[in-house]
Amino acid sequence: MSTVRTRFAPSPTGRMHVGNLRTALYAYLIAKHENGSFMLRIEDTDQERFVDGALEIIYRTLAKTGLIHDEGPDKDGGYGPYVQSERNAQGIYLNYAKQLIEQGDAYYCFCTKERLDSLKASVGEDGKEIAVYDKHCLHLSREEVEAKLAAGEPHVIRFNMPTEGNTTFHDDIYGDITVPNNELDDLILIKSDGYPTYNFANVIDDHLMGITHVVRGNEYLSSSPKYNRIYEAFGWEIPTYVHCPLITNEEHKKLSKRSGHSSYEDLTDQGFLTEAIVNYVALLGWCPEDNREIFSLEELVKEFDYHHMSKSPAVFDMTKLKWMNGEYIKAMDFDKFCDMALPFVKEAVKSDLDLKKIVQMVKTRIEVFPDIPALIDFFEEVPEYDVSMYTHKKMKTNPELSLEVLKKILPVLEDFEDYTNDALYDLLCGFAKENGYKNGQILWPIRTALSGKQMTPAGATEILEVLGKEESMKRLHAAVEKLECV
Ligand code: GLU
């Protein structure tokens, strides 16, 4: 078997959409699973859609996600140029289009926009609306064509589709698809601006670049029979098609920027880790036999068998991505986590506290970094809270008992010097035992008094340690005053 060669062929039109990232990832995995080559090709023939900076985004995203291409505009592998506008400047597409004209498989078309518009509206003999071009210009004589070209009349080059019979094409995921040839439009190969259409350029390039597996979104599925016709006209081998299923949001609608999952950078902006995004995106349309979910890129390369891809739409589930991100955060090396978490800690805590200890507290409790400030803001200041928070059934406590306990414990904590977690824990549990309280009846009121919250990323003694004696005493006194007012 020949070496697997796949390509990622983005158009530089903006941020990297999740669907594009998934296509890039699958193309990469399909190649690497077989020790093949993964190529980057820039499809910039639609000059109107070109967006400044989009090329940088493509390179940056591939580099960050680890989808390293073996060949591309910046890495010549002997199949270049890898940018379609450069290929066009070399006349590659026009030459092949002319070859098809010679063979009778393509022809010049001079129809004006008005004529084409009027065609769309017309109704055929059988009463059906005509959606395909009527081959008007196919019937021009050679002399007529020469004269129009010499006069500089605007024109395109169209493929001459057969009008009878069927075309069947095979996709490895979707199976065999058959369409009647009279439904295949005479595709434009070369546009009036001299650039090839995607339809033509993808066939020419995939062939010339030796692509064995064409991996792309399923929006191209319905056009693939037409591409096969072009391959056949040239007598070229048709590649293996792997069309990837649609990705929708939780409401089964198109992914949108508003819901925050449209592009890779939208996701990183929201604090998702690249590794988690790549892992999650891999599961949008593919599932290993054992339903395992956590995979590094290397593990994906090993496990990814594209025959297990699905054809039904994949739902992008933010809740699941968040969960997965949390798993990656938990497994993260502490120093790396610290570097990434500190800016978020500093957002909430401006006071001179041991921020590293706070970072430690949140590591197992967040799903994304932006969760941090709301978890720890009480270190800066106790928020407004209601005394009903002192009630806790399981801890067997309430505001009255809390007041009693806090008043008793204040002088004990005042006299204590060793504000470290273990020492404080021993002190408070010892106090509970001696005075006939349950541990929770001591710890719950203290934690509430210090944080004003029912949920904190750490227990009472850890919070005491981070706040230190002075600030802790201040907060405990304030809590007693608050409870006395009830
Ligand atoms: N340039 C096309 C796009 O960005 C690529 C389609 C393909 O992979 O063939 O959608």
Side-chain angles (χ1 to χ4, degrees), residues 42 53 65 76 83 97 171 250 272-273 283 317 330 341 404 434:
I42 301 297
T65 52
D76 189 7
V83 179
D171 177 272
E250 294 85 343
F272 289 105
L273 295 167
L283 302 178
D317 178 353
K330 277 182 213 147
E404 178 190 312
E434 274 164 35

Side-chain angles (χ1 to χ4, degrees), residues 395-438:
M395 301 288 175
K396 293 196 170 40
T397 185
N398 57 40
E400 295 76 46
L401 185 64
S402 293
L403 178 61
E404 178 190 312
V405 163
L406 288 175
K407 277 169 125 173
K408 285 190 189 163
I409 204 79
L410 259 171
V412 179
L413 282 168
E414 183 76 70
D415 287 342
F416 199 64
E417 289 307 327
D418 185 5
Y419 267 59
T420 57
N421 185 30
D422 289 347
L424 286 160
Y425 192 77
D426 290 345
L427 172 79
L428 296 180
C429 294
F431 177 88
K433 204 168 174 192
E434 274 164 35
N435 294 276
Y437 294 111
K438 292 187 173 308

Side-chain angles (χ1 to χ4, degrees), residues 76-124:
D76 189 7
Y79 290 84
Y82 294 87
V83 179
Q84 286 186 332
S85 56
E86 292 172 25
R87 299 174 71 74
N88 193 48
Q90 292 187 354
I92 294 176
Y93 307 111
L94 189 59
N95 287 342
Y96 279 104
K98 283 185 174 159
Q99 181 187 328
L100 291 179
I101 293 178
E102 289 299 311
Q103 294 173 200
D105 286 312
Y107 58 95
Y108 288 102
C109 169
F110 300 89
C111 285
T112 59
K113 188 175 174 300
E114 289 68 33
R115 176 164 196 281
L116 295 174
D117 286 348
S118 73
L119 266 188
K120 276 188 199 124
S122 65
V123 175

Side-chain angles (χ1 to χ4, degrees), residues 22-197:
R22 198 255 328 250
T23 299
L25 176 62
Y26 283 13
Y28 174 85
L29 294 175
I30 289 172
K32 294 297 150 188
H33 186 67
E34 301 287 342
N35 274 323
S37 296
F38 171 62
M39 193 186 88
L40 173 65
R41 178 171 80 220
I42 301 297
E43 301 207 327
D44 60 347
T45 60
D46 200 344
Q47 297 287 305
E48 282 165 26
R49 289 175 65 218
F50 191 90
V51 173
D52 270 346
L55 275 178
E56 288 70 46
I57 294 181
I58 292 169
Y59 285 112
R60 194 165 66 220
T61 307
L62 292 180
K64 278 193 181 166
T65 52
L67 306 181
I68 308 300
H69 49 282
D70 303 295
E71 289 172 39
D74 55 342
K75 274 185 204 164
D76 189 7
Y79 290 84
Y82 294 87
V83 179
Q84 286 186 332
S85 56
E86 292 172 25
R87 299 174 71 74
N88 193 48
Q90 292 187 354
I92 294 176
Y93 307 111
L94 189 59
N95 287 342
Y96 279 104
K98 283 185 174 159
Q99 181 187 328
L100 291 179
I101 293 178
E102 289 299 311
Q103 294 173 200
D105 286 312
Y107 58 95
Y108 288 102
C109 169
F110 300 89
C111 285
T112 59
K113 188 175 174 300
E114 289 68 33
R115 176 164 196 281
L116 295 174
D117 286 348
S118 73
L119 266 188
K120 276 188 199 124
S122 65
V123 175
E125 279 169 22
D126 55 359
K128 270 200 199 160
E129 213 171 275
I130 299 179
V132 294
Y133 179 63
D134 64 354
K135 294 186 186 280
H136 177 79
C137 291
L138 178 63
H139 311 295
L140 295 174
S141 67
R142 213 185 171 98
E143 294 70 38
E144 283 171 301
V145 170
E146 299 290 328
K148 282 175 185 287
L149 289 177
E153 270 192 43
H155 60 272
V156 300
I157 298 176
R158 285 184 187 273
F159 190 77
N160 184 16
M161 288 287 173
T163 49
E164 280 161 16
N166 293 316
T167 295
T168 296
F169 104 100
H170 179 80
D171 177 272
D172 265 18
I173 310 304
Y174 289 82
D176 282 344
I177 297 175
T178 301
V179 286
N181 287 338
N182 64 6
E183 283 178 16
L184 302 180
D185 195 18
D186 277 4
L187 283 182
I188 295 178
L189 306 178
I190 303 287
K191 298 181 280 187
S192 56
D193 63 5
Y195 279 97
T197 54

Side-chain angles (χ1 to χ4, degrees), residues 8 25 108 117 171 233 238 266 287 307 340 372 381 383 389:
F8 175 49
L25 176 62
Y108 288 102
D117 286 348
D171 177 272
I238 292 167
D266 289 336
C287 174
H307 298 98
M340 294 182 80
I372 293 176
E381 199 181 328
M389 279 202 194

Side-chain angles (χ1 to χ4, degrees), residues 226-279:
K226 301 181 204 170
Y227 306 151
N228 277 13
R229 284 283 157 201
I230 304 178
Y231 280 105
E232 278 161 12
F234 283 116
W236 291 342
E237 196 185 327
I238 292 167
T240 299
Y241 289 114
V242 181
H243 285 92
C244 309
L246 186 73
I247 304 174
T248 71
N249 67 13
E250 294 85 343
E251 281 83 45
H252 305 283
K253 301 220 173 73
K254 227 178 125 196
L255 295 186
S256 72
K257 189 158 173 55
R258 249 181 80 205
S259 47
H261 27 27
S262 89
S263 77
Y264 168 71
E265 295 194 346
D266 289 336
L267 294 170
T268 53
D269 284 353
Q270 290 171 72
F272 289 105
L273 295 167
T274 295
E275 292 88 335
I277 298 173
V278 171
N279 186 160

